[in-house]
Amino acid sequence: MAPLINEKTGLPLDHVHGIGATVWVENKDESSEITWSKAEVTAVDGSNVTLQLADGTTVTKASADCPLQNPPMRGGVEDMTKLPYLHEPGVLSNLEERYELDDIYTYTASILIAVNPFRRLPHLYDSHMMQQYKGVPFGELSPHVFAVADAAYRSAVTAEVKRPQSVLVSGESGAGKTETTKLIMSYLAFMGGRAPAAAEVDGEKPVQQKVLESNPILEAFGNAKTVRNDNSSRFGKFVEITFDGKGCISGAAIRTYLLERSRVTGISDPERSYHVFYLVAAGADADERATLHLPENAQHASAAFGYVATSKCHTLKGVDNAEEYVRLREAMDNVGIPTEDQLDLFRVVCAVMHLGNVKFV
């Protein structure tokens, strides 16, 4: 008969630690947030153990509630299924060790865990890195989002038995879902891009470029600054990319879900509403400002509108709203939105902003 297992620690319920064993101790602060501390077993009394913490204090706990520490592994392990003890503190400790070495990616079998570095690491995502992972069996190189994207591409396009593939990107706010999705799309565009001579027809941009240029548009209209994240997606999206028989991108579709509509009319400091309100207010040229009835002073234009003025935050660190507006218009051009349609769209955006100044008496 198989032993009963403690779901928290992954250890048998009758497991007893020996004196000198190193373990993890669960702590809860006033906010009920769980943390883990290292401890050493100094005494054993049946199913209970006495532990000495790093600060010298001692506590008594049930041995089944004290997961054993993994043996020291310099830099952690790339695949956490190789850890002797696969439990919550063991996973967190391994991720921390790798994160301190700028190894932000770690596998758990075929699952890729990414820890947001909150800074740019351009050397991890250039074309040279894409070339390194191209066609390499999953798991042979260090963990990377390109390895996941390559495995999906090969299974869908070049495998002997081709099957549609799905990549699920999930995590809490600020975990890096938006950036990870863009990196996957960049790799698929790299693999499925057409030769330059065949890419552009009658001035129309190639499909792979349209796929990538959709990101600034989606972010402008669906992303906003929150307390935890300057570029938080306030909607869900399903991106579908199709390939032809030669493995080249033949089309793409993006479905969006559950936009946070309440953010249009109500925000609190220090959050912002959707980026597009600030971009058009700062970046529209003189003719557009007259057409859209925007204040002449572009620097403080967004503060003139009630819906966005409820928060004092109108700019983001390291981001120029006017430059981002130009980039947004370029992206709209590249995906094939006519100039007049773009202006009509911004008329609607500005109409919403002006509605925030309407007073009812």
Side-chain angles (χ1 to χ4, degrees):
M1 180 177 177
L4 296 175
I5 300 297
N6 184 313
E7 293 182 357
K8 183 187 296 183
T9 65
L11 299 175
L13 289 176
D14 61 354
H15 184 90
V16 178
H17 304 300
I19 294 176
T22 53
V23 299
W24 294 100
V25 179
E26 182 181 276
N27 307 301
K28 284 187 179 179
D29 59 20
E30 295 178 355
S31 64
S32 296
E33 183 174 330
I34 296 175
T35 59
W36 296 89
S37 300
K38 293 181 177 181
E40 182 179 334
V41 177
T42 58
V44 179
D45 182 12
S47 61
N48 294 327
V49 290
T50 301
L51 308 170
Q52 183 174 23
L53 302 179
D55 61 5
T57 59
T58 59
V59 295
T60 299
K61 298 274 188 179
S63 61
D65 292 333
C66 302
L68 285 168
Q69 292 182 35
N70 288 300
M73 300 176 186
R74 186 177 178 86
V77 297
E78 293 187 342
D79 186 344
M80 290 192 290
T81 59
K82 297 177 181 178
L83 289 173
Y85 305 109
L86 186 59
H87 44 54
E88 180 179 319
V91 166
L92 295 176
S93 177
N94 188 70
L95 292 175
E96 182 182 28
E97 283 191 50
R98 292 180 56 74
Y99 185 81
E100 289 175 351
L101 298 175
D102 282 342
D103 290 327
I104 63 172
Y105 294 117
T106 307
Y107 290 134
T108 301
S110 61
I111 299 171
L112 178 70
I113 298 175
V115 183
N116 194 338
F118 291 102
R119 59 189 177 91
R120 298 199 177 277
L121 300 172
H123 65 283
L124 285 181
Y125 309 112
D126 56 21
S127 58
H128 173 72
M129 188 65 73
M130 292 183 182
Q131 194 67 43
Q132 276 192 311
Y133 281 85
K134 181 179 179 180
V136 177
F138 186 85
E140 283 198 8
L141 297 178
S142 297
H144 200 289
V145 65
F146 290 160
V148 174
D150 185 77
Y153 176 83
R154 287 187 291 108
S155 296
V157 177
T158 65
E160 186 173 332
V161 180
K162 302 177 179 62
R163 293 188 177 92
Q165 299 292 304
S166 295
V167 180
L168 176 65
V169 182
S170 64
E172 63 179 11
S173 179
K177 299 183 295 298
T178 297
E179 292 303 315
T180 297
T181 301
K182 289 194 291 187
L183 290 169
I184 293 171
M185 293 172 66
S186 295
Y187 187 85
L188 295 177
F190 169 77
M191 294 295 292
R194 298 177 184 276
E200 194 164 333
V201 180
D202 296 330
E204 185 175 349
K205 300 297 180 182
V207 176
Q208 68 267 21
Q209 185 173 349
K210 289 184 177 181
V211 169
L212 298 180
E213 292 288 0
S214 67
N215 285 313
I217 302 172
L218 288 173
E219 290 184 20
F221 288 89
N223 287 26
K225 174 186 169 15
T226 63
V227 173
R228 301 180 63 181
N229 183 3
D230 283 358
N231 191 34
S232 177
S233 295
R234 311 312 300 166
F235 66 103
K237 60 177 175 284
F238 178 78
V239 182
E240 184 177 19
I241 300 176
T242 56
F243 298 85
D244 60 22
K246 297 179 180 179
C248 296
I249 294 177
S250 59
I254 300 176
R255 299 177 179 86
T256 59
Y257 307 89
L258 303 174
L259 179 70
E260 185 188 16
R261 289 176 291 182
S262 61
R263 185 170 289 270
V264 173
T265 59
I267 51 174
S268 57
D269 225 15
E271 297 194 350
R272 295 204 321 175
S273 188
Y274 293 104
H275 295 326
V276 67
F277 294 124
Y278 307 90
L279 303 192
V280 67
D285 61 29
D287 291 339
E288 290 171 343
R289 305 190 82 79
T291 300
L292 302 173
H293 303 286
L294 294 173
E296 292 183 5
N297 185 347
Q299 186 175 358
H300 304 289
S302 59
F305 298 96
Y307 285 154
V308 297
T310 55
S311 170
K312 297 178 182 178
C313 179
H314 296 272
T315 58
L316 301 177
K317 184 178 180 180
V319 177
D320 186 306
N321 287 330
E323 290 181 2
E324 290 300 307
Y325 176 74
V326 173
R327 182 166 174 254
L328 172 61
R329 295 299 296 265
E330 289 175 349
M332 289 178 161
D333 289 337
N334 290 334
V335 300
I337 301 176
T339 302
E340 189 56 39
D341 289 352
Q342 294 179 34
L343 190 56
D344 286 343
L345 191 153
F346 287 113
R347 285 192 180 101
V348 174
V349 169
C350 291
V352 172
M353 295 173 70
H354 286 294
L355 281 174
N357 292 342
V358 174
K359 304 293 183 183
F360 294 92
V361 295

